[in-house]
Amino acid sequence: IHASSHVSASYDFSGLSIIGAGTVQLKSGITFSNMTFSSCDEIPAAGATISSCIFNNSIGTGSLNVTTSSQTETISSCTFTGNPYAIRLTNSTAETYTFNNLQFSANTSDVYVAATTGTTTINVINGGDTPTYTSAGSTVVINNNKSLTIEIRDADGALITSACEITVVKADDVTVLYQVENVTTGTTLYTYSY
């Protein structure tokens, strides 16, 4: 989009496919949704709102270049497939990023972290995939909480409402991961990081 484009104007790029483009310029304050970027050079996020877009087969180092953690706050529900790096976090300082329902598949590595020291944290929310990553040296911590509803049913399929104990253990070493006693509703919610 042209640098002089005004953010108060209304733009609708839904259904647009950009294929094989060299330099693509997004703009902060403008929404880009339901678009496909295929075989394009790396695209700077630039603070634009990017939602429900598909990035595939990038010919650049990565498909989307994010320079600060605040830029990930306006990226949501996008799919990244077949890219060298899906997202490159190019800030040389470690930060905390939020990945809102981002899906990754068949990328060489989903995320490149340019920070060389410190701890870079990626918080995955709203059902997003846990990304693979390559780091220039920063320690990378990925938080992706998942919830599992556990139901206790009798042979007829009815929830058991008399007091029960539920224990979840690791199969390989029987470490207790979750335990609750006196469950009287037949269900419990187990939240864990993945």
Side-chain angles (χ1 to χ4, degrees), residues 70-94:
S70 63
Q71 290 181 348
T72 61
E73 295 170 8
T74 58
I75 301 168
S76 64
S77 303
C78 293
T79 302
F80 300 85
T81 305
N83 302 291
Y85 292 108
I87 298 174
R88 289 194 329 120
L89 306 175
T90 57
N91 192 335
S92 60
T93 302

Side-chain angles (χ1 to χ4, degrees), residues 119-135:
T119 300
T120 298
T121 302
I122 299 172
N123 294 316
V124 177
I125 63 172
N126 295 323
D129 290 341
T130 299
T132 61
Y133 65 88
T134 301
S135 175

